[in-house]
Amino acid sequence: MRILVTGSAGFIGSAITDALREAGHDPTPFDIRTDPSHDIRDREAVEDALHGVDAVCHQAAKVGLGKDFDDAPAYTEVNAGGTANLLAAMAAKGVRRLALAGSMVVYGEGRYTCAAHGVVRPGPRRPEDLAAGRFEPPCPHCDTPLTAGLVAEDAPTDPRSVYAVTKLTQEHLATVWARDTGSTAVSLRYHNVYGPGLPRDTLYAGVAALFLSALLRGEAPRVFEDGAQRRDFVHVRDVAAANLRALEAPLEPGALTAYNTGSGEVRTVGEMAVALAFARGGPDPVVTGEYRLGDVRHITADSRRLKEDLGWRPEVDFISGMSELAAKEDG
């Protein structure tokens, strides 16, 4: 297949491009960073790029949580507006298959169970609790501690940043496009993606990049809260393989299917900092107790649907992946 890859020069997009080529496909790159004319918001440029294309792998996006609400127009213009432009162009050009870069951020907090009230949805954590070092979200009904579990695709969505809202908007737009055009759409809801090529020294690249940057400077990684935040760290090659499966699989047209894309290994932020520090031979992490309002406490994936429907299996385990990441980043 000839596959247009938007955001092809990015961390994930470049890994997908390599995987597609290795599998015998013909990836067509589209990224404003390598060609200023490749703007996802430019309808003419997108339609030109779609000529002769069989499918689209849409990775282009403005990423990260943003600094404040003043960033809302930029996120909305690129992520929501750019996706709407792409889908309209695909409808016009008769391209009927889409793999979309989704995100775990659409869920807000993960899955929690209260001993008295069953599955509950805690709201945003209170500033006074965070300031006092009470990091675990309490039951919204009885204020008692909760047990964190895996979140599945049928969990209610609860986006808690402008970026998260735009990622959910992308899914809604793709759902309408698939229904109206009889097309196939898959949203791969990425969890915490890491691996060689991860951008450094930016909040937009995630906490792994910040820890690694500190170690490369000879400094101790600074771990917020108590380091016990649960996450699912998934290697970029496994994410690329999931996109390949989504583009090749025989799926029913006329709808969007969402798939959690995680490793299945529940780890903490503190464990990740320790693994990177050990692999680099650097200073031990420092747990600071600092926090950021709006951060979620626990979010880990149940990726069984992706495994069962598409036959995907993650291949890179946590320790091996972190060791590879640390070894590749030598300056």
Side-chain angles (χ1 to χ4, degrees):
M1 286 190 293
R2 186 175 183 188
I3 301 169
L4 181 69
V5 182
T6 71
S8 55
F11 167 51
I12 298 174
S14 59
I16 292 171
T17 300
D18 291 342
L20 291 173
R21 189 174 292 113
E22 290 170 7
H25 297 292
D26 180 15
T28 299
F30 189 90
D31 196 306
I32 197 169
R33 286 167 290 191
T34 54
D35 186 333
S37 70
H38 286 178
D39 189 337
I40 197 68
R41 298 164 293 182
D42 184 328
R43 176 66 176 270
E44 184 177 354
V46 173
E47 288 200 5
D48 286 347
L50 287 170
H51 182 72
V53 161
D54 302 298
V56 173
C57 188
H58 183 33
Q59 307 296 311
K62 184 174 176 62
V63 300
L65 298 179
K67 296 179 181 178
D68 51 46
F69 201 80
D70 193 53
D71 289 337
Y75 277 86
T76 304
E77 181 183 2
V78 174
N79 296 355
T83 299
N85 187 60
L86 171 66
L87 294 172
M90 290 174 69
K93 300 291 284 188
V95 181
R96 297 290 182 258
R97 191 172 188 101
L98 172 72
L100 172 68
S103 175
M104 66 174 186
V105 296
V106 301
Y107 297 117
E109 284 283 357
R111 186 180 190 273
Y112 293 89
T113 304
C114 172
H117 297 97
V119 177
V120 296
R121 299 285 297 174
R125 292 179 292 171
R126 297 175 294 227
E128 59 269 26
D129 286 340
L130 295 170
R134 296 188 294 269
F135 301 122
E136 295 291 340
C139 175
H141 306 294
C142 62
D143 217 34
T144 58
L146 300 172
T147 300
L150 303 181
V151 63
E153 292 89 350
D154 59 357
T157 54
D158 184 18
R160 298 187 179 184
S161 68
V162 171
Y163 171 67
V165 169
T166 63
K167 295 307 290 183
L168 187 56
T169 300
Q170 288 182 318
E171 289 193 1
H172 289 325
L173 288 167
T175 298
V176 175
W177 166 81
R179 184 179 64 234
D180 288 357
T181 62
S183 300
T184 297
V186 168
S187 177
L188 296 169
R189 290 175 175 172
Y190 303 156
H191 281 248
N192 294 78
V193 186
Y194 73 97
L198 183 69
R200 297 206 302 267
D201 293 313
T202 168
L203 285 171
Y204 292 167
V207 69
L210 297 179
F211 290 166
L212 188 55
S213 294
L215 288 164
L216 290 170
R217 295 192 301 268
E219 300 171 3
R222 296 176 60 82
V223 181
F224 278 20
E225 300 187 17
D226 58 0
Q229 307 94 305
R230 291 158 54 106
R231 295 292 187 269
D232 185 320
F233 300 101
V234 59
H235 198 278
V236 68
R237 288 198 300 273
D238 287 330
V239 168
N243 277 272
L244 180 62
R245 292 278 188 173
L247 289 162
E248 293 179 336
L251 299 172
E252 289 295 322
L256 177 139
T257 305
Y259 291 106
N260 285 335
T261 307
S263 69
E265 291 188 68
V266 176
R267 297 284 182 166
T268 67
V269 172
E271 285 179 308
M272 181 185 64
V274 168
L276 286 173
F278 179 80
R280 290 293 310 179
D284 290 338
V286 175
V287 178
T288 68
E290 297 172 271
Y291 61 88
R292 292 192 307 171
L293 286 175
D295 280 357
V296 299
R297 177 62 173 174
H298 305 299
I299 177 70
T300 51
D302 181 346
S303 299
R304 285 178 296 177
R305 178 188 288 180
L306 180 58
K307 296 174 183 177
E308 292 170 359
D309 286 6
L310 303 188
W312 172 82
R313 294 289 185 278
E315 296 184 353
V316 184
D317 68 87
F318 176 79
I319 297 299
S320 298
M322 289 296 166
S323 296
E324 178 193 19
L325 173 62
K328 291 285 186 180
E329 301 296 331
D330 289 317

